[in-house]
Amino acid sequence: MVHDPAIEIVMGDSVSGKFWVGSALVAFASVATAQQTARTVQQDFDAAEALDAGTDKAAALAAWEALEKRVASRPRSRAIVLVRKSAALLALDRKDEANAAAQEGLAILPADDPSLRADRFKASFNLGRIAMTSLDYATAADWFGKAEAIADTPRDKMVAALAVVQTTTFTDPAAATAAQARIDGQLAAAKLDAASLGTIAEAKGTMQLNRGDIAAAQGTFRDAVRDFGGMDTSRIDIRDVSVRSDAAIAYLLGGNEDEARRYVAMTGAGATSIGLIDPGVAMVPPDCGGEAGLKPADMAVVEFSIADDGTAQAVRPIYAAGGGKVALEFARAVRQWSWTAEQVKAMPTFLRFNVRVEMRCNLAFQRPSISDALQADMIAWGRGKGLAFVDQSEAPATALIAQRRALAAASANGDTLATLPALFALVHNPVLPRDERGALARRALALAIANDAPARARLDLDVEARTAGVADLYKRGMFRRVVEPMLSEAPYAADAPSRAALRLMLADHEDGRSRSEAILQQVAQDAALPAADPFKVGAMIRLASIAQTRGDLAAARNAFTASGLAASQCALIDKPPKMVSVGGNFPEEAQRWGMEGWTRTQFDVDADGRVRNERVIISYPPFVFTKAGKDTFRAARFEKTYRPDGGLGCGALTRGVRFSLPH
């Protein structure tokens, strides 16, 4: 697994342990651990701590597991060991087990014992890290907030507040601003080195950038660049790459494209002297529409590392035009990208550790939202029962307080059917922590079942209840293991739309196209579903997309035609029109800085062969070749395509452009 670069933030005299938060490595002071009992137990504890401080995390885990057995009858000692064990599990990327150990240890730790505050801090902090790596920023922010509240040293409070800023920037901007103010209030008294100040400044600048305070972000990122050593090209590390790229975004959004490209050039990304990150073999942006309601104008910058096995790791959003939900949706798509072993070997290791791309959603086939359809079924059933479901118009973070109050009032005398709308609203608030969402979904599901809600009305709540507590849900095969059994369970097995919805979810979570296609064919061929059923339509759209990707345009045309939707996609004709000529130029700034790169550009072609609505959906490095990628096809010409109405000849055609300099 590829790890982020280390930036040590030390605010104390002694450091005995370290762990990762976002792109920063933070250190925490050790406190007294277990009560002095049998000397041999203490010796084992000391030995396990020593292993923890080393690089052999498997040995550390074995030591903690052996010690856990020895103190099984001592709840306090066992709780402390579980917390330490969770950190070792997390270091080995065993997140679900780490989550379970930390949760169990935290539940056992005596809340009224002040000597265990550091252990409770550690457990809460680790749980935040687990949620953050899963891109569940709402849950992560909740745990980091709890860690900050329980921290009893200025250093721990600052470390936790920094993590709150990093996560709430994309879930609750007001909370991010408040957390940053708490950090700013401590900076004067804290004695931090330049790199630590740079880490804090980078988080602050990212927050300012995403709330639209561009001028402030430019100044903050300039400070961060200075703290990390300025624009010196004789020495550059991963921290310099990140913060210079941050500054580039701020300058671009401020209208200073020349300065933006200069900062990108100083990251080394695309530099002919270093090398290039190639497009992945599986590199698709998220579809427009879908669960996040992505719009063509939405744009995000996502950072990630390419691991030795060709997978995308350490994925995190940097910026989004469209809000935090948009940013996280683009980041989730990047986690599915892959590169071949040959590509990985050819790419510069330095650049692989810190890749950034500019992204927009894919317009080739817009997919309807499964969750929206299921939620509509619940609302329709509930309103038939006289329930008042409130339309959500406020920002999720703003609505959360009122939604909690509404639930408290509705459940003052226990859960009844009248409590369901309040539970439903909270379950579908994206800033609600994952663990809380799961508990509320189970309460809502129990009410739905007790009141004979139909399968489709309860299905969305059931899926939420089962998946909310799974930390590694994004990992290959995990969603299938949790959700697939529902296909054979009552009442879903006997309800065709429920079966279809479950299969669409399963297909969307599959990495392999062949398995996805097989699942979707089951929906398409289900005779119990009418042709116009929205889930059958959704299956046809997905099948068309898969067929188009593998080059089977006839199958794509047939699948999309069967969906009943009117569109002029390239898949609806026997073959895409042939390109006759192409335009565009290599950007002068990129030539001057010796930069190369590539784009994936999407566009329509009218019946006369002229290009319309050109847009870059992926660009590397960000912003450098985006305009050139559009210009390349803006002036392009294709063969004419006959259409009886003279309308669009081909929609959402996607082509790659590589910008190379002579070597």
Side-chain angles (χ1 to χ4, degrees):
M1 177 178 177
V2 176
H3 291 294
D4 292 331
I7 304 173
E8 191 170 342
I9 301 180
V10 184
M11 300 181 65
D13 295 329
S14 63
V15 177
S16 63
K18 302 174 182 176
F19 42 59
W20 293 91
V21 183
S23 64
L25 179 66
V26 299
F28 57 88
S30 178
V31 298
T33 52
Q35 291 176 322
Q36 293 292 335
T37 54
R39 179 176 176 79
T40 52
V41 171
Q42 183 62 48
Q43 288 174 336
D44 284 351
F45 187 92
D46 292 341
E49 275 205 317
L51 287 168
D52 243 354
T55 58
D56 192 346
K57 298 304 180 183
L61 175 60
W64 290 123
E65 288 177 333
L67 191 56
E68 181 185 2
K69 295 176 182 177
R70 295 200 62 187
V71 298
S73 61
R74 307 173 192 175
R76 184 179 185 279
S77 298
R78 180 169 176 269
I80 295 169
V81 171
L82 282 169
V83 171
R84 308 303 175 93
K85 172 186 169 182
S86 73
L89 286 164
L90 185 54
L92 293 168
D93 200 33
R94 292 163 60 174
K95 296 187 187 70
D96 275 345
E97 295 167 87
N99 183 73
Q103 294 267 22
E104 186 179 0
L106 194 57
I108 302 171
L109 283 171
D112 57 353
D113 187 341
S115 70
L116 296 177
R117 287 177 66 89
D119 287 283
R120 288 198 294 276
F121 170 84
K122 201 176 303 181
S124 299
F125 201 84
N126 280 352
L127 287 165
R129 294 169 57 212
I130 293 166
M132 191 175 185
T133 58
S134 301
L135 293 177
D136 184 358
Y137 276 26
T139 297
D142 185 61
W143 281 116
F144 289 139
K146 290 174 180 176
E148 184 186 1
I150 204 171
D152 55 5
T153 68
R155 175 197 46 75
D156 283 350
K157 284 190 177 296
M158 184 175 287
V159 163
L162 176 61
V164 171
V165 172
Q166 291 173 325
T167 48
T168 55
T169 288
F170 299 99
T171 61
D172 188 349
T177 301
Q180 185 61 53
R182 295 194 295 274
I183 294 174
D184 290 342
Q186 298 179 63
L187 282 178
K191 295 180 180 179
L192 299 179
D193 61 19
S196 297
L197 290 171
T199 300
I200 292 171
E202 184 178 15
K204 182 177 182 177
T206 301
M207 176 196 69
Q208 293 167 332
L209 192 69
N210 281 278
R211 74 183 184 195
D213 196 349
I214 306 304
Q218 289 175 352
T220 303
F221 286 137
R222 282 197 301 269
D223 291 342
V225 170
R226 180 201 62 215
D227 291 333
F228 285 133
M231 296 290 276
D232 180 12
T233 56
S234 63
R235 54 159 298 278
I236 182 172
D237 61 20
I238 301 300
R239 298 172 300 181
D240 297 297
V241 171
S242 288
V243 75
R244 291 175 187 181
S245 183
D246 293 333
I249 300 172
Y251 279 111
L252 178 84
L253 296 176
N256 191 337
E257 294 187 5
D258 288 343
E259 191 70 355
R261 291 190 178 93
R262 184 175 78 90
Y263 270 94
V264 172
M266 300 304 283
T267 68
T272 53
S273 59
I274 298 176
L276 194 66
I277 296 296
D278 283 331
V281 292
M283 191 181 222
V284 181
D287 289 346
C288 296
E291 305 303 330
L294 296 180
K295 301 177 181 62
D298 290 337
M299 180 273 285
V301 177
V302 177
E303 180 181 281
F304 58 97
S305 297
I306 302 174
D308 292 342
D309 64 358
T311 59
Q313 302 285 346
V315 182
R316 67 181 184 117
I318 301 300
Y319 169 76
K325 186 177 181 181
V326 166
L328 290 165
E329 187 69 11
F330 277 102
R332 292 185 186 103
V334 171
R335 279 199 311 218
Q336 306 303 317
W337 292 1
S338 298
W339 286 258
T340 66
E342 292 75 16
Q343 285 181 305
V344 171
K345 182 182 289 188
M347 287 186 286
T349 303
F350 174 75
L351 292 184
R352 282 203 290 120
F353 280 180
N354 194 301
V355 185
R356 287 191 178 187
V357 291
E358 175 188 353
M359 300 172 64
R360 291 170 182 81
C361 63
N362 176 30
L363 272 171
F365 295 98
Q366 294 191 49
R367 299 182 302 172
S369 167
I370 307 168
S371 294
D372 283 353
L374 294 176
Q375 290 169 35
D377 285 331
M378 165 57 79
I379 291 171
W381 172 80
R383 286 177 175 164
K385 294 284 187 179
L387 300 179
F389 287 85
V390 179
D391 292 332
Q392 178 59 51
S393 57
E394 291 183 290
T398 305
L400 189 60
I401 296 173
Q403 289 171 347
R404 290 189 190 280
R405 289 174 180 163
L407 177 59
S411 58
N413 297 315
D415 284 353
T416 65
L417 182 59
T419 315
L420 186 57
L423 287 166
F424 184 83
L426 274 168
V427 166
H428 294 99
N429 188 318
V431 304
L432 191 76
R434 181 180 59 209
D435 293 342
E436 188 177 353
R437 185 182 302 117
L440 294 179
R442 287 187 285 274
R443 284 173 61 185
L445 179 63
L447 289 172
I449 292 172
N451 288 276
D452 298 321
R456 280 165 288 178
R458 69 173 75 165
L459 178 57
D460 180 66
L461 290 171
D462 202 347
V463 172
E464 284 284 357
R466 298 188 194 214
T467 59
V470 183
D472 281 348
L473 195 65
Y474 67 92
K475 282 194 171 179
R476 182 171 298 179
M478 186 66 72
F479 187 87
R480 186 194 324 146
R481 287 194 286 274
V482 175
V483 173
E484 194 170 44
M486 298 175 69
L487 283 169
S488 58
E489 297 175 7
Y492 312 120
D495 184 69
S498 295
R499 294 195 306 268
L502 285 168
R503 284 176 174 139
L504 286 180
M505 294 179 200
L506 290 165
D508 286 349
H509 281 82
E510 283 292 337
D511 291 329
R513 291 181 191 146
S514 60
R515 185 174 175 86
S516 291
E517 188 169 15
I519 296 171
L520 293 170
Q521 288 291 358
Q522 290 179 297
V523 180
Q525 296 168 10
D526 192 335
L529 287 173
D533 180 87
F535 295 133
K536 180 171 277 191
V537 171
M540 292 299 185
I541 292 172
R542 287 160 172 79
L543 286 168
S545 181
I546 291 173
Q548 184 188 40
T549 300
R550 70 165 181 262
D552 189 345
L553 298 181
R557 177 196 59 209
N558 292 337
F560 201 90
T561 301
S563 75
L565 299 181
S568 298
Q569 298 290 344
C570 295
L572 298 183
I573 57 178
D574 290 333
K575 63 179 181 179
K578 181 180 178 181
M579 184 184 294
V580 176
S581 64
V582 69
N585 294 295
F586 201 104
E588 291 183 7
E589 300 89 345
Q591 289 185 26
R592 187 164 62 248
W593 290 101
M595 297 181 68
E596 299 180 327
W598 48 265
T599 66
R600 287 182 65 86
T601 303
Q602 198 166 77
F603 50 91
D604 301 331
V605 179
D606 67 17
D608 286 332
R610 290 171 297 192
V611 171
R612 297 284 184 265
N613 307 317
E614 61 280 352
R615 53 195 294 272
V616 170
I617 57 175
I618 306 178
S619 181
Y620 173 84
F623 313 124
V624 176
F625 296 98
T626 305
K627 183 178 182 299
K630 291 174 61 176
D631 291 346
T632 297
F633 290 101
R634 178 176 295 155
R637 289 293 181 270
F638 288 77
E639 289 180 337
K640 293 183 178 182
T641 304
Y642 173 73
R643 285 291 179 271
D645 60 358
L648 189 67
C650 181
L653 185 63
T654 304
R655 292 289 184 269
V657 183
R658 189 179 184 107
F659 296 88
S660 300
L661 292 168
H663 289 271

